[in-house]
Amino acid sequence: MKTIGLLGGMSWESSAGYYKVINEGVKESLGGLHSAKIVMYSVDFDQIEKLQHKGDWNGTSEILCAAAKNIERAGADFLLICTNTMHKVAPKIEGSITIPLIHIADATAETLIKMRVKTVGLLGTAFTMEQDFYKSRLKEKHDLSVLIPEKSDRAIVHNVIYKELCLGHCLTSSKAEYLRIIDALAEQGAEAVILGCTEIGMLIKQEDTHIRLLDTTYVHARKAVDLAI
């Protein structure tokens, strides 16, 4: 079994989800008392969040590149960044290590292609929804059409992530808003919706809507299981 490297803490709530899904996947595949071989480096998200909102992406990449190097030195065979937003600096992280980086957008796109989805809605932080580092990878590398919510709804999605989900709070009122926004994306032509922030799966489940959802935490973590065993 290969050793999975996890760069987490952004937030720790979603990183805990990675740990759970990966170990459940290994147990399901190998049975008995098997569990995953994991090296995790969990950063202080408060520091990262402040740099994000200042637009200091170089500052965030310095922290994450140093963490990635530690994960590699600890014996990981490949690396997952346990957050969608910080894939903005994935090229710098990838360039700082010699082990493979498993990109969350690639894992998500592979699943969408298997589902025969061509047009997909995207929910995430404002950085993920509005900037090109994530959408362009889906479009240019995987030939997917990507829809995002209107500006006021993007603000709702973003604020719920940082002010509620990253603090472990799942409010019924916020769930209703997210479901409304998901419905609006479907009305625009989305065949499925990417839960493109690793905390959103804490709030929204597939059973909450008839629209197909991709929880990126689950998809990314299961990709790690496939590569490890």
Side-chain angles (χ1 to χ4, degrees), residues 27-54:
K27 182 179 179 180
E28 176 186 310
S29 296
L30 301 180
L33 295 176
H34 283 288
S35 57
K37 295 170 66 178
I38 294 174
V39 173
M40 176 182 278
Y41 192 113
S42 189
V43 300
D44 179 3
F45 189 44
D46 182 80
Q47 186 180 18
I48 298 292
E49 183 272 337
K50 285 182 170 66
L51 292 170
Q52 287 176 338
H53 286 92
K54 287 179 183 176

Short mmCIF file of all heavy atoms in Angstrom, two decimals, residues 27-54:
data_model
loop_
_atom_site.label_atom_id
_atom_site.label_comp_id
_atom_site.label_asym_id
_atom_site.label_seq_id
_atom_site.Cartn_x
_atom_site.Cartn_y
_atom_site.Cartn_z
N LYS A 27 -10.66 0.25 4.07
CA LYS A 27 -11.30 -0.88 4.77
C LYS A 27 -12.26 -1.62 3.85
O LYS A 27 -12.31 -2.85 3.83
CB LYS A 27 -12.04 -0.37 6.01
CG LYS A 27 -12.70 -1.47 6.81
CD LYS A 27 -13.40 -0.93 8.04
CE LYS A 27 -14.07 -2.05 8.82
NZ LYS A 27 -14.76 -1.53 10.03
N GLU A 28 -13.03 -0.84 3.08
CA GLU A 28 -13.98 -1.45 2.14
C GLU A 28 -13.26 -2.29 1.09
O GLU A 28 -13.72 -3.37 0.70
CB GLU A 28 -14.76 -0.32 1.46
CG GLU A 28 -15.74 -0.76 0.39
CD GLU A 28 -16.36 0.43 -0.31
OE1 GLU A 28 -16.85 1.35 0.38
OE2 GLU A 28 -16.32 0.46 -1.56
N SER A 29 -12.11 -1.82 0.64
CA SER A 29 -11.38 -2.51 -0.42
C SER A 29 -10.59 -3.71 0.08
O SER A 29 -10.54 -4.75 -0.58
CB SER A 29 -10.42 -1.53 -1.11
OG SER A 29 -11.13 -0.50 -1.74
N LEU A 30 -9.96 -3.59 1.26
CA LEU A 30 -9.05 -4.62 1.74
C LEU A 30 -9.61 -5.46 2.89
O LEU A 30 -9.11 -6.55 3.16
CB LEU A 30 -7.72 -3.98 2.17
CG LEU A 30 -6.98 -3.19 1.09
CD1 LEU A 30 -5.69 -2.62 1.65
CD2 LEU A 30 -6.69 -4.07 -0.13
N GLY A 31 -10.64 -4.93 3.55
CA GLY A 31 -11.28 -5.69 4.62
C GLY A 31 -10.46 -5.77 5.90
O GLY A 31 -9.41 -5.14 6.05
N GLY A 32 -10.98 -6.54 6.84
CA GLY A 32 -10.28 -6.79 8.09
C GLY A 32 -9.96 -5.52 8.85
O GLY A 32 -10.79 -4.62 8.98
N LEU A 33 -8.74 -5.47 9.38
CA LEU A 33 -8.30 -4.32 10.17
C LEU A 33 -7.48 -3.33 9.36
O LEU A 33 -6.79 -2.47 9.94
CB LEU A 33 -7.49 -4.81 11.38
CG LEU A 33 -8.26 -5.65 12.40
CD1 LEU A 33 -7.33 -6.16 13.49
CD2 LEU A 33 -9.40 -4.84 13.02
N HIS A 34 -7.56 -3.42 8.04
CA HIS A 34 -6.77 -2.52 7.21
C HIS A 34 -7.21 -1.07 7.37
O HIS A 34 -8.41 -0.76 7.46
CB HIS A 34 -6.89 -2.91 5.73
CG HIS A 34 -6.08 -4.11 5.37
ND1 HIS A 34 -4.70 -4.07 5.28
CD2 HIS A 34 -6.45 -5.38 5.08
CE1 HIS A 34 -4.26 -5.27 4.95
NE2 HIS A 34 -5.30 -6.09 4.82
N SER A 35 -6.24 -0.18 7.40
CA SER A 35 -6.48 1.26 7.37
C SER A 35 -5.41 1.90 6.51
O SER A 35 -4.43 1.26 6.12
CB SER A 35 -6.46 1.85 8.79
OG SER A 35 -5.23 1.57 9.44
N ALA A 36 -5.61 3.16 6.18
CA ALA A 36 -4.72 3.83 5.23
C ALA A 36 -3.41 4.25 5.88
O ALA A 36 -3.35 4.59 7.06
CB ALA A 36 -5.43 5.06 4.67
N LYS A 37 -2.36 4.23 5.06
CA LYS A 37 -1.07 4.80 5.46
C LYS A 37 -1.10 6.27 5.03
O LYS A 37 -1.17 6.58 3.83
CB LYS A 37 0.07 4.05 4.80
CG LYS A 37 0.20 2.60 5.26
CD LYS A 37 1.20 1.83 4.40
CE LYS A 37 2.61 2.36 4.57
NZ LYS A 37 3.59 1.56 3.77
N ILE A 38 -1.07 7.16 6.01
CA ILE A 38 -1.26 8.59 5.74
C ILE A 38 -0.19 9.42 6.46
O ILE A 38 0.11 9.17 7.62
CB ILE A 38 -2.66 9.07 6.21
CG1 ILE A 38 -3.76 8.40 5.38
CG2 ILE A 38 -2.79 10.59 6.14
CD1 ILE A 38 -5.17 8.69 5.87
N VAL A 39 0.33 10.41 5.75
CA VAL A 39 1.13 11.46 6.36
C VAL A 39 0.35 12.75 6.18
O VAL A 39 0.05 13.15 5.06
CB VAL A 39 2.51 11.61 5.69
CG1 VAL A 39 3.24 12.82 6.25
CG2 VAL A 39 3.35 10.35 5.89
N MET A 40 -0.01 13.40 7.29
CA MET A 40 -0.77 14.64 7.21
C MET A 40 0.01 15.79 7.84
O MET A 40 0.58 15.64 8.92
CB MET A 40 -2.13 14.52 7.89
CG MET A 40 -2.92 15.84 7.91
SD MET A 40 -4.51 15.75 8.77
CE MET A 40 -5.52 15.05 7.46
N TYR A 41 0.00 16.93 7.16
CA TYR A 41 0.49 18.18 7.72
C TYR A 41 -0.69 19.13 7.73
O TYR A 41 -1.23 19.48 6.69
CB TYR A 41 1.63 18.75 6.88
CG TYR A 41 2.38 19.88 7.55
CD1 TYR A 41 3.70 19.74 7.93
CD2 TYR A 41 1.77 21.12 7.77
CE1 TYR A 41 4.40 20.78 8.54
CE2 TYR A 41 2.45 22.16 8.38
CZ TYR A 41 3.77 21.99 8.76
OH TYR A 41 4.46 23.01 9.36
N SER A 42 -1.10 19.56 8.94
CA SER A 42 -2.26 20.42 9.08
C SER A 42 -1.81 21.82 9.48
O SER A 42 -1.20 22.02 10.52
CB SER A 42 -3.21 19.84 10.14
OG SER A 42 -4.43 20.54 10.17
N VAL A 43 -2.11 22.80 8.61
CA VAL A 43 -1.66 24.18 8.85
C VAL A 43 -2.68 24.93 9.72
O VAL A 43 -3.78 24.47 9.96
CB VAL A 43 -1.47 24.93 7.52
CG1 VAL A 43 -0.43 24.24 6.65
CG2 VAL A 43 -2.79 25.07 6.76
N ASP A 44 -2.27 26.11 10.18
CA ASP A 44 -3.16 27.00 10.93
C ASP A 44 -3.96 27.81 9.92
O ASP A 44 -3.42 28.70 9.25
CB ASP A 44 -2.32 27.92 11.83
CG ASP A 44 -3.18 28.90 12.62
OD1 ASP A 44 -4.42 28.84 12.52
OD2 ASP A 44 -2.60 29.73 13.34
N PHE A 45 -5.24 27.53 9.81
CA PHE A 45 -6.06 28.15 8.77
C PHE A 45 -6.25 29.64 8.97
O PHE A 45 -6.45 30.40 8.02
CB PHE A 45 -7.42 27.44 8.69
CG PHE A 45 -8.24 27.88 7.51
CD1 PHE A 45 -7.68 28.02 6.25
CD2 PHE A 45 -9.60 28.13 7.64
CE1 PHE A 45 -8.44 28.42 5.15
CE2 PHE A 45 -10.37 28.52 6.55
CZ PHE A 45 -9.79 28.67 5.30
N ASP A 46 -6.20 30.11 10.21
CA ASP A 46 -6.37 31.54 10.47
C ASP A 46 -5.34 32.34 9.67
O ASP A 46 -5.65 33.36 9.05
CB ASP A 46 -6.24 31.84 11.96
CG ASP A 46 -6.45 33.31 12.28
OD1 ASP A 46 -7.64 33.73 12.34
OD2 ASP A 46 -5.46 34.05 12.45
N GLN A 47 -4.12 31.87 9.68
CA GLN A 47 -3.04 32.54 8.95
C GLN A 47 -3.29 32.51 7.45
O GLN A 47 -3.12 33.53 6.75
CB GLN A 47 -1.71 31.86 9.29
CG GLN A 47 -0.48 32.53 8.72
CD GLN A 47 0.80 31.80 9.10
OE1 GLN A 47 0.76 30.63 9.51
NE2 GLN A 47 1.93 32.47 8.96
N ILE A 48 -3.71 31.36 6.95
CA ILE A 48 -3.98 31.21 5.51
C ILE A 48 -5.14 32.11 5.10
O ILE A 48 -5.07 32.82 4.07
CB ILE A 48 -4.30 29.75 5.17
CG1 ILE A 48 -3.11 28.83 5.47
CG2 ILE A 48 -4.75 29.60 3.71
CD1 ILE A 48 -1.92 29.03 4.58
N GLU A 49 -6.22 32.11 5.88
CA GLU A 49 -7.41 32.89 5.53
C GLU A 49 -7.11 34.38 5.46
O GLU A 49 -7.58 35.08 4.54
CB GLU A 49 -8.51 32.61 6.57
CG GLU A 49 -9.84 33.30 6.29
CD GLU A 49 -9.93 34.70 6.87
OE1 GLU A 49 -9.18 35.01 7.83
OE2 GLU A 49 -10.74 35.51 6.36
N LYS A 50 -6.32 34.88 6.37
CA LYS A 50 -5.96 36.30 6.35
C LYS A 50 -5.17 36.65 5.08
O LYS A 50 -5.41 37.69 4.45
CB LYS A 50 -5.16 36.66 7.60
CG LYS A 50 -5.99 36.76 8.88
CD LYS A 50 -5.13 37.16 10.06
CE LYS A 50 -5.99 37.51 11.29
NZ LYS A 50 -6.71 36.35 11.82
N LEU A 51 -4.25 35.78 4.70
CA LEU A 51 -3.47 36.02 3.49
C LEU A 51 -4.35 35.94 2.24
O LEU A 51 -4.17 36.71 1.29
CB LEU A 51 -2.32 35.01 3.40
CG LEU A 51 -1.21 35.16 4.45
CD1 LEU A 51 -0.27 33.96 4.41
CD2 LEU A 51 -0.42 36.45 4.24
N GLN A 52 -5.30 34.99 2.23
CA GLN A 52 -6.22 34.87 1.09
C GLN A 52 -6.96 36.18 0.85
O GLN A 52 -7.02 36.68 -0.28
CB GLN A 52 -7.26 33.77 1.36
CG GLN A 52 -6.75 32.35 1.28
CD GLN A 52 -7.83 31.35 1.64
OE1 GLN A 52 -8.81 31.68 2.32
NE2 GLN A 52 -7.67 30.11 1.19
N HIS A 53 -7.56 36.71 1.90
CA HIS A 53 -8.39 37.89 1.75
C HIS A 53 -7.59 39.17 1.55
O HIS A 53 -8.15 40.19 1.15
CB HIS A 53 -9.38 37.99 2.92
CG HIS A 53 -10.49 37.00 2.83
ND1 HIS A 53 -10.44 35.75 3.41
CD2 HIS A 53 -11.68 37.06 2.17
CE1 HIS A 53 -11.55 35.09 3.13
NE2 HIS A 53 -12.32 35.86 2.38
N LYS A 54 -6.28 39.12 1.81
CA LYS A 54 -5.40 40.23 1.45
C LYS A 54 -4.91 40.11 0.01
O LYS A 54 -4.29 41.03 -0.52
CB LYS A 54 -4.17 40.24 2.38
CG LYS A 54 -4.44 40.70 3.80
CD LYS A 54 -3.14 40.64 4.61
CE LYS A 54 -3.37 41.03 6.06
NZ LYS A 54 -2.12 40.87 6.86
#
